[in-house]
Amino acid sequence: MEKTYLITGATSDVGYELIRTLNDGKSKFLLQGFGDGEAIMALCAENGIDAEYFDVNLSDSEDTDRFVEKLKSCSPTHFVHLPALRVINTKFKNFDEERFLLDMNVQVMSAVKICKTIAPKMAKVKFGRILFMATSYVLANPPKNTAAYIMAKNSVVGLMKALAVDYASNGITVNAISPSMIETKFLAETSHLIVEQTAAAHPMKRNATVKDVVPAMVFLLSDEAGYITGVNLPVTGGSIIE
């Protein structure tokens, strides 16, 4: 089967590593990012990757709707949803409702709109892989001062479970992955002290890297993972054991 990977949030560090790892010289990639298209298309050109880039602000409902309209002419076999606004650690009394709603658009509503378009197509051909990026924060007691991020990620996991139930009989698997803290540019607005303290408290005495996380994602997207659905897979290096 010819594979077409739709990856939203593709310009993230995880996205870059995932594209490199999935590239087999035959698959097509539909990549969404916001304002960073030249760099990722250069990566694809250097590696002979057949890719199309969509510059879309997923926090903007109208921009997302235009993107989804374009997807109606595409038939992705795999969908990976990575985007999120960066975590801002702040006390709940300073909860930013406007920013939270934007993040819900980015993480949840965009995924709903995309899945409404592509999941029925996957169901018709009796094959599909859908994978969401969650977080280890939804698996156990989360750190303090992260209410907005936790609420959005729990919504992502809820969507994953609902879709897994709805489409299990159609050859579509729907899963999530929940890594512990990954040291990427996503942490740009997180205090370096928090990053260092998290690493020091970890059983392996380090935070995760993209190379720790991507192999598990690739497996869940593979043909071999066809009997795994509705799973939120921890990739935590032992910091959380279920």
Side-chain angles (χ1 to χ4, degrees):
M1 174 186 291
E2 184 176 311
K3 296 176 180 177
T4 299
Y5 294 94
L6 169 61
I7 304 176
T8 46
T11 56
S12 63
D13 292 338
V14 172
Y16 271 71
E17 182 64 20
L18 182 62
I19 293 163
R20 291 190 191 97
T21 305
L22 289 172
N23 179 36
D24 58 5
K26 298 178 289 185
S27 300
K28 181 176 176 60
F29 290 80
L30 307 173
L31 308 175
Q32 177 275 329
F34 183 47
D36 196 19
E38 290 185 5
I40 199 165
M41 290 307 290
L43 168 76
C44 293
E46 290 168 8
N47 292 275
I49 299 172
D50 181 4
E52 183 176 359
Y53 179 76
F54 301 86
D55 193 295
V56 185
N57 179 3
L58 295 177
S59 70
D60 184 318
S61 296
E62 293 183 357
D63 206 11
T64 300
D65 289 342
R66 287 189 288 268
F67 174 48
V68 170
E69 192 64 30
K70 293 177 183 177
L71 291 178
K72 289 181 179 179
S73 62
C74 306
S75 296
T77 54
H78 299 67
F79 171 43
V80 183
H81 191 60
L82 302 174
L85 296 188
R86 289 174 176 170
V87 181
I88 294 180
N89 295 77
T90 184
K91 292 183 178 180
F92 188 72
K93 66 180 181 180
N94 298 321
F95 190 97
D96 187 336
E97 292 93 343
E98 184 176 348
R99 189 177 191 278
F100 170 68
L101 292 175
L102 291 176
D103 200 17
M104 287 293 287
N105 278 345
V106 170
Q107 296 203 50
V108 183
M109 290 310 302
S110 66
V112 170
K113 292 176 179 181
I114 292 168
C115 288
K116 280 179 66 178
T117 298
I118 68 171
K121 292 183 178 182
M122 291 177 172
K124 284 185 178 180
V125 298
K126 296 292 183 181
F127 180 86
R129 296 283 183 270
I130 298 174
L131 180 63
F132 296 103
M133 176 63 76
T135 171
S136 64
Y137 293 178
V138 306
L139 301 173
N141 291 349
K144 295 172 65 176
N145 303 325
T146 56
Y149 186 67
I150 297 303
M151 291 164 68
K153 285 300 185 188
N154 272 291
S155 295
V156 168
V157 173
L159 174 60
M160 177 274 289
K161 292 180 178 179
L163 290 173
V165 171
D166 288 352
Y167 285 99
S169 63
N170 297 107
I172 302 172
T173 67
V174 190
N175 296 292
I177 189 165
S178 276
S180 54
M181 182 179 284
I182 313 172
E183 292 201 5
T184 67
K185 62 188 177 185
F186 185 74
L187 298 179
E189 296 180 44
T190 299
S191 166
H192 72 278
L193 292 176
I194 293 175
V195 176
E196 291 172 0
Q197 290 169 358
T198 302
H202 193 280
M204 293 188 179
K205 302 304 178 185
R206 68 176 180 87
N207 292 318
T209 69
V210 291
K211 290 185 181 296
D212 294 317
V213 176
V214 165
M217 300 174 69
V218 171
F219 172 69
L220 290 174
L221 293 168
S222 70
D223 294 345
E224 290 77 13
Y227 204 65
I228 301 173
T229 194
V231 169
N232 183 18
L233 179 66
V235 182
T236 66
S239 60
I240 296 175
I241 296 177
E242 293 198 320

